[in-house]
């Protein structure tokens, strides 16, 4: 399609010059071209609104006049004016050949570009709070963040995945207090994170009724910030133990980070002092009830930088880390993926950051909020014991997948591996299927279904494609020439495959992996319609070759799409 757009832009450039003496650059015209949503309006559209004022003509008249300068030929079947638009109808044969030709040439590279020019895009994701087990809520940032990472990579950026652990803050004063009081009651080795979070919850409860306990917790955190050895050792133990558990889960999910850092690296230190100095220099740091704050606007609470007991805040630590990220990575984008509960936090620190880093780094800051995960049975709550821990959920999903494979009598070598690929893939797919800001309602039986808009369904479609290609010994480097005109159903599938490059771009630019997920669902279902009504391995050699090319193309697109989302694509299922 790209080539045809280039061709159309060239023709329009000539026509505009010829008719109105307008000297528009080819790039400018190219960027004005649209893809009509409705197929009835052709494949490429050129809007004429912007010329109306200068030419003192209505957009419709301009469109008609330009059209007179153009003639349908070769690649273009028909040109038609509808309102202010000139619509181009590309010859089907040309489109299908172009798209499949490109996919066959590029293979799994199809859809990748280098518009990013290797520039750095930072993605702060997952970033769990230590001393707590990983629960279902953490799943979303991990999955969305990873998908964004892969999307930006496809666009030729250098993504940097940052896991910024929540490993500092006054809650660790309470964890330490809980640990000191209750550690003997737990089998820490066996289940360290549940034990620690339970000790924390108990200390927290005590502190609610007993101010003295709260004071001790505050004291612990103060000591921690001052580098007290006992507190620091305990904290290190919490951190190491937590990381060990998280690594296991990341490993299971195939998730990797380029950088592990955390709030602790941005607590009382040169790094925070520098930010405080900058805020002081700009004269924006003021006293308020013993705390140091930056006032933003009349109608909102100020951004608290230092608490009245001199502790650093989440905001200050984030500001120090923005400065560090700007210096270390000279980023063009720095993305933060968290639940929507933190919208206010990021909104504030991004505004305060203008006192700390250059304008260009402010422009690159993006908060990507997402909705909550809810169980079909109701909201998740720690208090009511309805929290789902990720490890349990993953185990469950794998177990259930295994059962399905056994029922289906699936014949593969490594059934356990396949059950893992399906189970985890199903969780990821379900998570990325919804617009990210929407709350996700969760039902394991639903997400594991082999039919419907699920991960297993799309994986299954891919496995089927692989087996067709294998059976036909399809070799993309050795395709015989053939002449064949694709029918409507086939043309539809191929045109859809042609959209992948754009879909990747759109999903990345909108920070919305669901755009890609929905697209994969569309491809899989269009492919299934084709497959159910056409014989691929047909007697007619021309037909067979042409259809195998289509099957191959669909395979490339589904595999690529799923892999970007972080989902594996087994060849056999
Ligand atoms: N630890 C936080 C949480 O679990 C998320 C951190 C997000 N990143 C950041 N730079 N503040 O809610």
């Amino acid at each position: 399609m790209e080539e045809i757009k280039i061709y159309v832009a060239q023709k329009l450039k000539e026509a505009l010059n010829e008719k109105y003496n307008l000297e528009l650059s080819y790039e400018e015209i190219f960027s004005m071209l649209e893809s009509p949503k409705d197929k009835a309006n052709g494949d490429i559209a050129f809007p004429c609104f912007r010329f109306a004022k200068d030419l003192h003509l209505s957009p419709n008249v301009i469109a008609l006049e330009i059209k007179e300068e153009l003639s349908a030929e070769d690649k273009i079947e028909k040109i038609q004016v509808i309102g202010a638009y000139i619509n181009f109808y590309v010859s089907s044969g040309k489109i299908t050949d172009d798209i499949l030709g490109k996919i066959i040439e590029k293979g799994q590279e199809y859809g990748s570009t280098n518009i990013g020019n290797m520039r750095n895009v930072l993605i702060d994701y997952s970033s769990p709070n230590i001393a707590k087990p990983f629960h279902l809520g953490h799943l979303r940032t991990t999955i969305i963040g990873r998908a964004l990472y892969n999307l930006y990579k496809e666009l030729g950026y250098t993504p940097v995945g940052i896991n910024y652990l929540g490993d500092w803050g006054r809650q660790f004063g309470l964890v330490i207090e809980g640990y000191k009081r209750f550690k003997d009651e737990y089998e820490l080795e066996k289940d360290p994170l549940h034990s620690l979070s339970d000790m924390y919850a108990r200390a927290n409860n005590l502190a609610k009724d007993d101010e003295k306990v709260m004071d001790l917790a505050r004291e612990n955190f103060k000591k921690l910030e001052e580098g007290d050895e006992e507190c620091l050792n305990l904290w290190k133990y919490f951190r190491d133990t937590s990381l060990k558990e998280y690594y296991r889960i990341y490993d299971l999910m195939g998730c990797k980070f380029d950088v592990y850092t955390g709030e602790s690296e941005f607590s009382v230190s040169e790094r925070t002092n520098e930010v405080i100095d900058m805020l002081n220099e700009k004269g924006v740091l003021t006293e308020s009830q013993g705390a140091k704050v930056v006032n933003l606007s009349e109608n909102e609470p100020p951004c608290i930088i230092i608490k009245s007991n001199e502790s650093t805040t989440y905001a200050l630590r984030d500001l120090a880390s923005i400065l560090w990220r700007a210096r270390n990575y000279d980023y063009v984008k720095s993305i933060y993926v968290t639940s929507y509960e933190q919208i206010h936090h990021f909104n504030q620190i991004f505004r305060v950051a203008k006192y700390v880093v250059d304008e260009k780094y402010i422009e690159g800051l993006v908060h990507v909020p997402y909705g909550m995960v809810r169980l079909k049975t109701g909201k998740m709550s720690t208090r009511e014991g309805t929290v789902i821990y990720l490890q349990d959920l993953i185990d469950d999903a794998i177990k259930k997948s295994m059962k399905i494979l056994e029922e289906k009598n699936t014949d593969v070598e490594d059934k356990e591996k396949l059950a893992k690929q399906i189970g985890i893939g199903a969780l990821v797919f379900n998570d990325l299927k919804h617009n990210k800001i929407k709350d996700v309602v969760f039902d394991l039986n639903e997400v594991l279904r082999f039919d419907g808009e699920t991960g297993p369904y799309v994986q299954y479609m891919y496995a089927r494609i692989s087996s067709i290609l294998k059976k036909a010994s399809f070799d993309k480097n050795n395709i015989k020439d053939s002449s064949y005109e694709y029918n409507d159903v086939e043309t539809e599938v191929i045109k859809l495959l042609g959209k992948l490059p754009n879909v990747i771009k759109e999903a990345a630019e909108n920070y919305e992996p669901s755009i890609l997920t929905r697209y994969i669902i569309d491809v899989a279902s269009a492919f299934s319609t084709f497959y159910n009504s056409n014989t691929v391995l047909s007697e007619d050699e021309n037909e067979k070759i042409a259809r195998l090319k289509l099957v191959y193309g669909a395979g490339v697109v589904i595999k690529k799409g799923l892999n970007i989302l972080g989902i594996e694509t087994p060849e056999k299922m």
Side-chain angles (χ1 to χ4, degrees):
M1 202 58 157
E2 210 67 3
E3 269 164 51
I4 301 172
K5 268 172 88 179
I6 292 171
Y7 171 82
V8 167
Q10 201 60 45
K11 290 283 163 207
L12 282 167
K13 179 176 155 68
E14 286 161 22
L16 283 163
N17 198 330
E18 189 67 30
K19 180 75 197 168
Y20 302 120
N21 256 328
L22 285 173
E23 281 283 358
L24 263 79
S25 77
Y26 152 77
E27 284 82 10
E28 201 171 343
I29 296 175
F30 186 87
S31 71
M32 287 171 71
L33 296 177
E34 300 176 5
S35 315
K37 291 239 148 45
D38 184 351
K39 264 184 283 172
N41 294 334
D43 303 288
I44 300 171
F46 182 68
C48 295
F49 302 102
R50 62 174 270 195
F51 310 112
K53 207 164 147 220
D54 287 345
L55 296 174
H56 302 289
L57 291 169
S58 79
N60 174 251
V61 170
I62 298 170
L64 287 167
E65 288 188 350
I66 300 175
K67 181 188 171 259
E68 284 306 301
E69 299 289 322
L70 302 164
S71 53
E73 55 186 276
D74 181 23
K75 301 166 182 157
I76 306 295
E77 210 164 66
K78 185 170 82 171
I79 305 174
Q80 197 178 39
V81 170
I82 303 176
Y85 289 87
I86 308 174
N87 297 292
F88 298 85
Y89 298 73
V90 180
S91 333
S92 290
K94 185 63 194 150
I95 295 194
T96 49
D97 287 353
D98 268 15
I99 294 171
L100 289 180
K102 186 146 276 170
I103 300 179
I104 287 165
E105 178 202 327
K106 300 213 162 172
Q108 287 306 133
E109 297 288 304
Y110 172 63
S112 315
T113 57
N114 48 20
I115 52 177
N117 243 322
M118 304 298 279
R119 288 169 301 169
N120 287 340
V121 169
L122 315 186
I123 300 145
D124 176 325
Y125 69 105
S126 202
S127 305
N129 297 329
I130 65 163
K132 279 186 196 162
F134 218 114
H135 65 70
L136 197 49
H138 284 117
L139 185 65
R140 294 213 80 189
T141 162
T142 309
I143 290 175
I144 295 171
R146 171 177 51 188
L148 293 176
Y149 183 100
N150 293 338
L151 282 164
Y152 275 92
K153 198 175 174 111
E154 288 303 328
L155 295 184
Y157 289 91
T158 305
V160 182
I162 301 182
N163 196 328
Y164 178 80
L165 297 169
D167 60 0
W168 209 253
R170 76 195 150 108
Q171 71 271 29
F172 294 103
L174 276 165
V175 185
I176 292 173
E177 199 50 38
Y179 182 86
K180 282 186 182 162
R181 285 170 189 251
F182 309 120
K183 67 169 183 307
D184 295 336
E185 298 173 33
Y186 291 85
E187 286 184 275
L188 262 164
E189 288 302 305
K190 225 169 117 198
D191 195 355
L193 295 191
H194 284 99
S195 310
L196 286 175
S197 76
D198 205 54
M199 291 176 202
Y200 163 75
R202 286 171 69 185
N204 196 22
N205 271 339
L206 283 184
K208 271 183 201 146
D209 301 327
D210 188 349
E211 193 50 36
K212 268 193 234 116
V213 178
M214 201 38 143
D215 284 342
L216 283 170
R218 278 198 201 101
E219 186 60 29
N220 289 336
F221 181 54
K222 186 112 205 305
K223 274 159 86 184
L224 193 58
E225 289 222 296
E226 287 161 2
D228 173 85
E229 206 180 315
E230 190 198 358
C231 287
L232 211 55
N233 280 338
L234 280 177
W235 170 82
K236 274 192 192 127
Y237 162 72
F238 301 154
R239 193 177 192 274
D240 292 347
T241 313
S242 306
L243 271 176
K244 224 188 277 165
E245 297 278 299
Y246 300 156
Y247 287 151
R248 220 186 38 198
I249 289 179
Y250 291 141
D251 219 35
L252 206 55
M253 290 180 51
C255 212
K256 285 201 186 73
F257 295 88
D258 299 300
V259 184
Y260 274 91
T261 171
E263 291 181 48
S264 62
E265 291 187 37
F266 299 91
S267 64
V268 180
S269 65
E270 291 292 303
R271 288 175 171 175
T272 37
N273 287 340
E274 192 177 357
V275 171
I276 293 164
D277 288 347
M278 286 170 158
L279 296 176
N280 268 326
E281 248 164 58
K282 311 255 157 61
V284 290
L285 203 58
T286 54
E287 287 265 340
S288 168
Q289 299 165 0
K292 298 226 167 75
V293 307
V294 174
N295 287 308
L296 288 162
S297 78
E298 301 243 318
N299 322 319
E300 66 185 303
C303 181
I304 303 174
I305 304 293
I306 302 173
K307 296 205 186 128
S308 52
N309 68 358
E310 313 233 315
S311 296
T312 60
T313 57
Y314 184 42
L316 176 57
R317 295 190 286 271
D318 253 331
L319 287 165
S321 77
I322 290 175
L323 179 60
W324 178 78
R325 289 175 194 192
R327 278 184 185 152
N328 258 273
Y329 293 103
D330 186 31
Y331 61 77
V332 284
K333 265 183 206 294
S334 178
I335 299 169
Y336 297 79
V337 187
T338 80
S339 86
Y340 55 54
E341 288 168 313
Q342 295 195 35
I343 288 180
H344 180 67
H345 165 73
F346 284 106
N347 179 306
Q348 284 207 323
I349 62 161
F350 288 176
R351 280 179 292 157
V352 178
K354 72 166 182 261
Y355 304 115
V356 178
V357 291
D358 283 352
E359 180 64 27
K360 67 167 179 174
Y361 296 120
I362 302 291
E363 277 165 18
L365 294 169
V366 187
H367 179 221
V368 175
Y370 58 82
M372 298 292 171
V373 184
R374 279 184 302 129
L375 282 179
K376 208 173 168 198
T377 47
K379 210 178 145 146
M380 277 216 305
S381 147
T382 329
R383 223 176 318 132
E384 285 157 35
T386 51
V387 172
I388 297 190
Y389 294 108
L390 195 54
Q391 183 70 59
D392 299 342
L393 181 72
I394 292 177
D395 289 348
D396 231 22
I398 297 175
K399 234 182 275 156
K400 282 210 164 105
S401 306
M402 193 65 173
K403 211 170 137 224
I404 296 173
L405 291 180
E406 256 144 28
E407 277 165 13
K408 281 187 182 300
N409 260 325
T410 310
D411 165 37
V412 292
E413 256 168 53
D414 194 343
K415 228 183 239 180
E416 242 157 70
K417 181 172 167 202
L418 182 58
K420 210 177 101 183
Q421 291 173 315
I422 296 173
I424 294 174
L427 297 177
V428 175
F429 193 89
N430 177 64
D431 203 289
L432 294 176
K433 191 168 87 176
H434 310 274
N435 186 311
K436 64 184 184 296
I437 200 75
K438 282 210 185 123
D439 290 351
V440 173
V441 181
F442 203 84
D443 177 351
L444 198 50
N445 291 327
E446 231 10 77
V447 312
L448 280 175
R449 281 173 57 155
F450 271 53
D451 52 359
E453 301 180 345
T454 64
Y457 168 72
V458 184
Q459 280 176 324
Y460 184 60
M461 197 58 84
Y462 176 75
R464 223 150 132 190
I465 288 173
S466 301
S467 94
I468 300 168
L469 294 173
K470 202 164 156 208
K471 198 159 158 205
S473 309
F474 179 83
D475 173 8
K476 75 160 189 148
N477 298 312
N478 199 359
I479 302 173
K480 278 195 228 120
D481 280 337
S482 66
S483 84
Y484 177 76
E485 201 171 310
Y486 286 107
N487 64 37
D488 285 353
V489 177
E490 291 163 339
T491 304
E492 179 124 349
V493 178
I494 298 169
K495 279 193 178 176
L496 204 50
L497 301 180
K499 291 191 174 157
L500 179 70
N502 243 326
V503 168
I504 291 177
K505 194 158 160 276
E506 236 183 88
E509 282 170 358
N510 292 293
Y511 314 106
E512 188 59 89
S514 68
I515 294 176
L516 176 59
T517 319
R518 312 274 347 157
Y519 166 77
I520 301 172
I521 293 172
D522 290 346
V523 171
S525 90
F527 180 81
S528 137
T529 309
F530 151 77
Y531 186 72
N532 291 334
S533 57
N534 295 275
T535 315
V536 176
L537 303 178
S538 131
E539 298 282 301
D540 177 338
E541 191 66 10
N542 275 330
E543 193 169 80
K544 179 172 136 190
I545 294 170
R547 286 188 177 153
L548 280 171
K549 288 204 265 185
L550 181 158
V551 174
Y552 171 78
V556 166
V557 168
I558 293 178
K559 181 179 174 69
K560 174 124 188 178
L562 287 178
N563 292 167
I564 291 175
L565 299 179
I567 298 170
E568 293 189 47
T569 38
E571 303 285 319
K572 208 169 163 199
M573 242 170 108

